[in-house]
Amino acid sequence: MPEVLLQRAFEVRGGDFDKAGETSSEIKALLKEVGIDPTLIRRAGVVTFEAEMNVVMYAESATVVFTLSDEDISIEVFDRGPGIADVDLAMQEGYSTATDEMRQMGFGFGMGLPNIKKNSDIFKLESEVGKGTRLYSAIRLDGAS
Amino acid sequence: MMTHGFRIDQDKCRGCLSCMRACPTHAIRVRDGKARYIPEKCIDCGSCLKSCPYGAITATTWSFQDMDKFKFKVAVPSPVLFGQFPAGVTPAHIVQGLLSVGFDAVWDYGVELFLASRAVLHYVENWKGPFPLISVSCPVVVRLVQVSYPRMIDQLIRLQIPREIAGREIKRRYAKELGLRPDEIAAVYITPCQAKTISILHPAEGVESHLNGALGISEVYNPILASANQQRNGLPPPAEIPNIVRNSTFLGWSVREGLGRSLARHNSLHVTGLANIIQVFDDIEKGKLQNVEFLEAHSCWSGCTGGNLTVANVYVTLSKLRSLVGDLPEMDAETLAEVNSRYPLEDFSLEAPVLPRPIKGQSGDLREKVRLLQEAEAVLKTLPGYNCGLCGAPTCKEMAKDISAGEASKADCVFFSKDRLSELYKRFLLNDR
Ligand SMILES: Nc1ncnc2c1ncn2[C@@H]1O[C@H](COP(=O)(O)OP(=O)(O)O)[C@@H](O)[C@H]1O
Ligand SMILES: [Mg+2]
């Protein structure tokens, strides 16, 4: 069993574009503080940022749980929101239901979920329409991907 | 080898906290009444040097004497030099002036600017990684990334900068022409700032410099001016018009936001001033600058024209450069021919990528580091949070880290120890005499 070394929970609010990105910044800062390899920090940063943005864009609110164990970095996002009806479709590169407004802000090109998956060693996405979505991503510390 | 370039004279330092407060990377602590560096956190920006009221801080320098061991000495002046002198002093006078102070040749890196621009354009267009790409022309920016934003290190453009390409070409060309060994030839940058000197003498981790040293503009200014005045009083004007004025690109470089211009088709950003750069880097980390492809950043708020080794007023310099550029064409046939012939033959990539700087306490056992982090967080909760700095650390947060690492104690905080307060007061009385 991996031993949990550090765990933190963050709240993210839907629609809050102003604060978007703060959770991933904080997680990156924690990882830097404990000397995690910059490449792994960057991967964890992409995962958290994209997941956080999806909450901001599509959900009502979410809890992000960051866990550092002696084996991996894991990020788990539980959101309360509309959920995703077709997860396989949402995972496709370029698929997006973002509004024009969001696109003007530079988001919503349909690469978020695929990039999360690409940067994860373990990736899970489960959703219940009308209730919410749970995303799990783990990045191994030994760098094997 | 530690690569930072400043020293604090312990006799002159009065422990006044000015430098500690000015340091953007929290690289200074004042312990036992004296300031000292945490070398691996220093990014060579020179904020401390400027802030010290007692002149206790000095920087790594290089001097005319260091040049003597070379057989053939080539000056590589920054374009900023040409904007420093009063009206009537022409680029030709300045080139002549450099020769009169002991250089055997003067190299303007106009061609190298074009070569580098082309290489960067190609690099940006073929880049598959994350944006924005960051220019490596300002050494302070490179070190800031190494020290504070190591996960952006791959975004530093892995290409030689113009002055370095020039250094390499100087060695190659003169070695061939004069039958000398490359190590008998000195390529000496005439620099507007300290940070570039340091980047030549102690390049960023992983990188080497093709230049041998640097002299500050302030060091060569007076001799050049004297020579220019002699030239103007009767001596025949220099026969040759220097290449520098063949086109407007070299002299106009600092006026026109450098590389950004040749990347006009790409979304590029030019940021100046360290505080602004830090803000932009934080925004990049927060994902707020997704569409920017190229970032040119200069630590000095006015770009290199305002470097700490310049002499003239920034605005006067810019205006002078603008008038020198006048209506010169951006490119001329001769330069173009040279660029076209060299571009395919030379490799502009950095020999090795810039590496993140190893920070003390960030290697070793993960469990132990997590423990330190948690302890620092616990200590921070007990500190007053005023960030007064009297403990000798710039913020309570930094102090908490120092305490958890065993480098300071809670008794250094005036809110915990009255002795600390009276000790500081005694020191004040002593210093005041
Ligand atoms: N947390 C979520 N809640 C509801 N829908 C989501 C969520 N995350 C993603 N989606 C849906 O999946 C689509 C694809 O997501 P993503 O790959 O991140 O691209 P983008 O965010 O650019 O649209 C989104 O457009 C949206 O319809
Ligand atoms: Mg998305």
Side-chain angles (χ1 to χ4, degrees):
Chain A
M1 255 321 260
E3 183 195 345
V4 171
L5 303 177
L6 184 67
Q7 192 163 54
R8 290 288 148 89
F10 303 86
E11 293 301 315
V12 179
R13 270 200 328 216
D16 193 349
F17 282 89
D18 231 31
K19 290 229 164 65
E22 282 187 6
T23 300
S24 72
S25 293
E26 279 186 49
I27 290 173
K28 281 189 280 188
L30 284 170
L31 290 171
K32 184 188 176 207
E33 202 61 49
V34 296
I36 299 294
D37 179 83
T39 328
L40 296 180
I41 300 184
R42 159 177 236 137
R43 286 170 57 196
V46 171
V47 168
T48 330
F49 177 74
E50 291 295 349
E52 191 183 356
M53 280 317 298
N54 282 353
V55 172
V56 171
M57 290 198 284
Y58 311 112
E60 280 150 32
S61 66
T63 306
V64 176
V65 180
F66 155 80
T67 310
L68 175 68
S69 78
D70 56 353
E71 286 178 7
D72 62 7
I73 301 161
S74 68
I75 288 133
E76 206 163 6
V77 185
F78 308 88
D79 77 40
R80 296 156 284 275
I84 305 172
D86 188 340
V87 169
D88 290 336
L89 182 62
M91 287 305 300
Q92 281 179 19
E93 294 194 0
Y95 175 79
S96 176
T97 59
T99 61
D100 284 347
E101 207 186 351
M102 292 170 182
R103 254 165 241 171
Q104 257 155 29
M105 286 193 277
F107 304 111
F109 295 98
M111 294 304 294
L113 291 171
N115 273 336
I116 294 177
K117 188 171 179 189
K118 224 180 278 169
N119 283 287
S120 310
D121 293 314
I122 304 173
F123 173 78
K124 282 181 213 149
L125 184 66
E126 295 158 1
S127 192
E128 198 174 327
V129 174
K131 280 198 147 167
T133 302
R134 173 182 169 267
L135 180 148
Y136 174 84
S137 156
I139 296 168
R140 296 192 53 82
L141 293 181
D142 60 18
S145 52
Chain B
M1 182 188 66
M2 200 56 253
T3 62
H4 94 117
F6 295 95
R7 261 182 311 278
I8 299 172
D9 182 330
Q10 298 291 302
D11 293 331
K12 288 187 185 163
C13 174
R14 296 207 190 172
C16 74
L17 313 180
S18 303
C19 57
M20 180 188 85
R21 290 196 166 107
C23 177
T25 53
H26 301 319
I28 299 178
R29 297 292 182 275
V30 180
R31 298 273 146 81
D32 300 321
K34 301 290 174 189
R36 60 177 178 75
Y37 291 103
I38 303 170
E40 65 268 25
K41 287 193 178 174
C42 173
I43 58 168
D44 301 323
C45 69
S47 302
C48 52
L49 189 95
K50 254 192 313 208
S51 77
C52 180
Y54 307 108
I57 302 180
T58 51
T60 307
T61 50
W62 202 77
S63 67
F64 280 110
Q65 285 87 306
D66 293 304
M67 246 165 46
D68 291 343
K69 56 176 186 279
F70 296 93
K71 285 207 174 128
F72 193 79
K73 305 154 192 109
V74 185
V76 185
S78 154
V80 174
L81 178 73
F82 296 89
Q84 297 281 301
F85 296 89
V89 178
T90 64
H93 290 135
I94 295 166
V95 167
Q96 195 57 47
L98 282 168
L99 297 175
S100 75
V101 302
F103 285 102
D104 301 298
V106 177
W107 187 279
D108 85 80
Y109 51 93
V111 171
E112 283 83 3
L113 288 175
F114 284 108
L115 290 170
S117 305
R118 259 195 212 181
V120 168
L121 191 63
H122 181 80
Y123 191 94
V124 172
E125 285 176 348
N126 291 285
W127 178 246
K128 297 283 185 304
F131 285 110
L133 286 164
I134 304 165
S135 158
V136 292
S137 100
C138 177
V140 175
V141 172
V142 173
R143 301 213 179 189
L144 179 65
V145 173
Q146 283 185 292
V147 170
S148 301
Y149 302 90
R151 51 243 171 251
M152 281 163 38
I153 208 132
D154 293 341
Q155 281 157 268
L156 291 173
I157 295 183
R158 290 182 198 174
L159 291 176
Q160 304 280 352
I161 48 178
R163 58 180 178 273
E164 290 289 342
I165 303 172
R168 184 174 67 182
E169 180 64 8
I170 285 168
K171 307 261 167 92
R172 198 193 61 79
R173 202 175 294 181
Y174 288 111
K176 195 165 149 217
E177 254 174 43
L178 306 171
L180 293 171
R181 290 196 318 269
D183 64 3
E184 293 175 315
I185 299 163
V188 180
Y189 187 57
I190 309 297
T191 179
C193 71
Q194 203 67 66
K196 287 177 183 157
T197 311
I198 298 168
S199 80
I200 290 166
L201 300 178
H202 312 289
E205 284 76 2
V207 186
E208 272 175 51
S209 177
H210 297 290
L211 297 155
N212 299 85
L215 292 172
I217 286 178
S218 54
E219 273 172 278
V220 296
Y221 183 83
N222 282 331
I224 292 178
L225 188 61
S227 155
N229 287 337
Q230 271 180 354
Q231 293 174 56
R232 287 158 78 194
N233 294 331
L235 281 180
E240 244 183 298
I241 296 176
N243 289 342
I244 293 168
V245 293
R246 286 195 304 207
N247 63 56
S248 66
T249 298
F250 180 73
L251 292 174
W253 196 250
S254 337
V255 181
R256 290 178 182 150
E257 311 198 338
L259 273 174
R261 239 171 98 83
S262 53
L263 290 158
R265 278 187 292 123
H266 298 266
N267 219 335
S268 78
L269 214 62
H270 186 232
V271 189
T272 60
L274 200 46
N276 300 331
I277 296 170
I278 288 172
Q279 203 178 356
V280 167
F281 281 3
D282 285 342
D283 280 350
I284 293 175
E285 289 234 298
K286 285 184 191 149
K288 287 191 179 165
L289 291 170
Q290 305 250 325
N291 297 328
V292 178
E293 291 184 10
F294 176 77
L295 184 77
E296 170 115 56
H298 289 283
S299 162
C300 296
W301 61 269
S302 49
C304 299
T305 33
N308 63 354
L309 299 178
T310 57
V311 175
N313 176 285
V314 175
Y315 298 102
V316 175
T317 303
L318 286 172
S319 142
K320 173 100 199 238
L321 287 170
R322 246 179 244 121
S323 77
L324 282 174
V325 167
D327 40 31
L328 286 171
E330 261 182 61
M331 179 61 122
D332 61 287
E334 232 177 310
T335 304
L336 183 62
E338 202 177 329
V339 172
N340 285 340
S341 72
R342 277 177 62 186
Y343 188 77
L345 300 178
E346 292 181 32
D347 178 8
F348 301 103
S349 48
L350 276 185
E351 283 86 353
V354 177
L355 302 171
R357 184 179 291 176
I359 305 260
K360 197 177 125 219
Q362 288 194 354
S363 55
D365 184 48
L366 180 60
R367 224 174 244 97
E368 172 63 8
K369 281 178 290 184
V370 171
R371 192 189 65 73
L372 286 178
L373 169 80
Q374 285 171 321
E375 196 179 311
E377 285 175 340
V379 172
L380 180 60
K381 288 202 185 110
T382 70
L383 294 178
Y386 291 117
N387 298 326
C388 70
L390 292 176
C391 60
T395 62
C396 292
K397 197 171 171 191
E398 292 295 324
M399 182 59 173
K401 285 192 219 171
D402 292 351
I403 292 173
S404 77
E407 277 158 22
S409 95
K410 244 177 166 173
D412 294 327
C413 173
V414 294
F415 289 86
F416 283 97
S417 152
K418 290 210 182 67
D419 292 348
R420 174 70 181 156
L421 203 55
S422 55
E423 178 197 321
L424 285 167
Y425 190 61
K426 262 183 242 150
R427 192 162 285 142
F428 162 72
L429 293 177
L430 272 171
N431 278 341
D432 209 34
R433 273 181 303 146

